[in-house]
Amino acid sequence: MFGALDGLSGLDIGLLRRNHFCIGVKRGKEYVCDDETDESMKSGTIDLLVEAVRRILRWRVWETQWIDEIMDEWLEKRDRLETQLRGRYSNEVIDDLLRLVNKFISYNERFWDYWRNVSDEVKRLINDLLNGRGKVIIWEGEKGISVYCEHITLDAHRTSTGIIVHLVLKDFEGVTIEVPDIFKKVMSEDEYTKFVNEVLKALRGGFEETDGFIEKGYAGMGTTQVWQVIVWSLLYFGGMYVYIDAVNVNEGNVTITWHLKSSHNSLKGKVLGNAGKLSEEEILAFTFAAVLGDGSARIEKNGHGYDMAVIVITMSSEKFERWESLIMRLKSMGFRSDKLHSEGNVVKVKFNSSNAIGLSRAMMAVLPPILRDILDA
C-alpha cells in the first residue's frame, strides 16, 4: 500500500496534478471547497503540493526518528543544567529547575506516543496525493493549500522568504504547568524587587516584541528552541498552558513549535513605546531579549578578512518606526549601530566590532547570574 513512499524518485507531477483541486473559503478555522478550479489556478499552486510532498518523503516524517532527536536535545539540556549548576545554587533551586524541564520532557513523550498513533494517517495522506486521489483546497488569493484528514491537516503556503509546510494537529491536547519563581529564591528582597520592577519587565517586553503573541490579554510565545522554552517559562513564572499544534517540515529539518501561554498580562508594545523613559538597565535587558528573539550574535569576516563580532536585530519596516527611539537611546549610551540594511520589508539593525562587544558585555551584566548560567548550560 505504501510502496510509493520509498523514495523521492517516485514523484510523478502528472499524478499529483490529477488530485482534485478546488477553490476554498474559510469556515471557522478550516477551508472548505466552494468552487471548482481551472488549470491556471492548479498550475499556480502545484509547486506548493510538490514541495510539501517532497519534504515529507525526504524526512519520512511519519516515522519518529526526528522526535527522538528533539527528545535527545531535551535530555542533554537537562543533564547540562544539573552538571553546571548543581553546587552553585541550593538543591531546592536546582530541583525546581529540573522538575520544570522534566514537565516539558513528559509532554514531549506524550507527543511521541500521539505521533505513533497518527503516523499511518500521514502515510495515507501522502500515498493518496502521490496517486492522484487527494483533495487539495486552494486558499483565497492562491497563497496556500490545505489537505484535510481526520487528525492531521497538510498546509503549505508562500511567504516572502520561501515555502512553509506544516502538518497541523487537530486533537493533541496541551497541558497546564506551574513554573517556579527561582529568582526569588536566589536574591535578597531588595535585589528581587529591583529585578521584577526593572529588568524582568524589560526582558519580558523584549521577548514579546519579537516572538510574542497576545491571547485574551495574556502574554504568549511560540518557539522551536529548547533553551527558549526554558528561559521564557522561567521569566513568566506561575501558571502556564503549553501546547504543540503543528509539525514544521522544513527544507533542512523537522521541528515542532512549542506554544506557551502565560498567566501574565501582555507587555507587547508597552515597554518599547516608552523607550525614552527607560533606565539604561531596562534598555539593555530589553535589547538582550530582542536579540534572543529575532536577532543573532555571531562572528563574521570584515572587509579585510579579519574576524569581527556582530549583533543583529531583525524586524519589519513597519516595526522599525517603533524601534527608532530605542536605537537612539543605545547610541546615546555609546553603542552605535551600522548603516541600516533593508531587504524588501525586512530591516536589519547591526552592531559591529567594538560596538557589538561592548553591547554584549553590557547586556549580560544586567542579567541575574542564574539566568546567565542557564543560558550558558
Side-chain angles (χ1 to χ4, degrees):
M1 177 180 177
F2 300 130
L5 305 183
D6 288 341
L8 296 176
S9 59
L11 273 184
D12 185 325
I13 306 302
L15 279 175
L16 287 174
R17 291 182 68 91
R18 284 175 55 184
N19 286 285
H20 177 214
F21 286 77
C22 65
I23 302 170
V25 292
K26 205 72 174 288
R27 295 283 187 266
K29 295 183 179 181
E30 295 187 355
Y31 281 93
V32 297
C33 282
D34 184 60
D35 198 0
E36 295 305 307
T37 184
D38 55 30
E39 283 301 313
S40 64
M41 291 186 69
K42 184 185 292 188
S43 297
T45 54
I46 192 67
D47 62 317
L48 293 174
L49 184 60
V50 170
E51 181 62 18
V53 172
R54 186 186 69 81
R55 290 186 193 179
I56 292 171
L57 286 172
R58 176 185 179 185
W59 297 113
R60 301 181 67 85
V61 177
W62 55 88
E63 297 180 351
T64 60
Q65 180 180 349
W66 59 274
I67 306 176
D68 295 337
E69 292 173 358
I70 294 172
M71 180 62 78
D72 288 343
E73 187 178 357
W74 274 105
L75 295 174
E76 289 169 8
K77 185 65 174 179
R78 182 186 64 186
D79 291 346
R80 288 199 303 271
L81 286 169
E82 173 150 35
T83 300
Q84 296 185 33
L85 273 65
R86 182 76 73 182
R88 304 181 68 173
Y89 302 94
S90 71
N91 286 336
E92 180 186 9
V93 169
I94 302 307
D95 290 344
D96 279 350
L97 178 59
L98 296 181
R99 272 193 293 269
L100 173 64
V101 175
N102 283 335
K103 291 175 184 176
F104 289 114
I105 291 173
S106 177
Y107 186 60
N108 200 72
E109 289 173 339
R110 276 181 51 194
F111 175 71
W112 189 89
D113 289 335
Y114 171 88
W115 196 250
R116 288 182 63 198
N117 290 332
V118 301
S119 61
D120 279 351
E121 184 173 305
V122 178
K123 291 180 187 179
R124 283 193 296 272
L125 182 154
I126 296 303
N127 198 63
D128 285 348
L129 291 172
L130 288 170
N131 289 283
R133 298 193 299 264
K135 182 170 74 173
V136 182
I137 303 179
I138 301 174
W139 299 0
E140 296 167 281
E142 302 178 44
K143 295 180 180 179
I145 59 171
S146 292
V147 182
Y148 292 97
C149 293
E150 183 181 356
H151 303 286
I152 301 290
T153 298
L154 169 60
D155 282 349
H157 64 277
R158 295 185 184 87
T159 69
S160 59
T161 57
I163 293 176
I164 304 296
V165 178
H166 289 148
L167 289 170
V168 181
L169 319 177
K170 294 184 181 180
D171 54 2
F172 182 59
E173 295 182 353
V175 62
T176 299
I177 65 175
E178 189 69 24
V179 181
D181 182 357
I182 63 170
F183 303 107
K184 195 169 189 176
K185 296 180 178 180
V186 298
M187 297 179 181
S188 68
E189 186 175 342
D190 288 343
E191 288 173 334
Y192 182 73
T193 299
K194 179 178 174 61
F195 168 70
V196 169
N197 292 337
E198 296 183 13
V199 175
L200 178 60
K201 184 177 180 180
L203 287 171
R204 288 174 175 173
F207 269 125
E208 290 182 41
E209 204 63 44
T210 51
D211 279 346
F213 62 83
I214 304 172
E215 185 162 327
K216 297 180 179 178
Y218 296 108
M221 186 193 72
T223 180
T224 63
Q225 304 296 316
V226 167
W227 68 266
Q228 202 166 10
V229 172
I230 297 170
V231 170
W232 200 91
S233 299
L234 292 170
L235 295 178
Y236 288 83
F237 43 79
M240 179 170 294
Y241 184 69
V242 181
Y243 66 98
I244 298 168
D245 65 354
V247 174
N248 312 307
V249 190
N250 308 310
E251 180 65 36
N253 60 8
V254 181
T255 62
I256 52 178
T257 299
W258 294 78
H259 296 278
L260 313 173
K261 295 192 326 189
S262 78
S263 53
H264 296 266
N265 292 329
S266 173
L267 296 171
K268 195 175 182 72
K270 297 176 182 178
V271 179
L272 185 59
N274 289 310
K277 300 178 181 179
L278 299 180
S279 67
E280 290 193 357
E281 277 193 340
E282 289 171 307
I283 290 288
L284 291 167
F286 182 95
T287 305
F288 176 79
V291 171
L292 291 183
D294 265 354
S296 62
R298 58 181 184 266
I299 300 296
E300 292 182 358
K301 296 291 184 182
N302 63 16
H304 304 288
Y306 296 110
D307 287 343
M308 173 179 69
V310 174
I311 292 176
V312 180
I313 305 174
T314 304
M315 66 197 74
S316 66
S317 55
E318 291 86 358
K319 282 186 177 181
F320 176 70
E321 295 180 10
R322 302 201 302 271
W323 279 79
E324 285 190 276
S325 60
L326 185 136
I327 294 168
M328 292 303 296
R329 284 292 309 277
L330 287 170
K331 182 179 179 180
S332 72
M333 292 162 59
F335 309 114
R336 300 174 63 91
S337 61
D338 198 9
K339 197 180 299 183
L340 292 179
H341 179 67
S342 300
E343 292 181 7
N345 191 41
V346 176
V347 176
K348 293 184 178 182
V349 180
K350 195 172 182 180
F351 298 85
N352 294 329
S353 302
S354 59
N355 283 297
I357 295 170
L359 179 58
S360 177
R361 289 173 176 168
M363 291 189 300
M364 294 299 290
V366 303
L367 301 180
I370 192 168
L371 185 55
R372 292 199 300 266
D373 291 339
I374 289 169
L375 286 165
D376 287 341

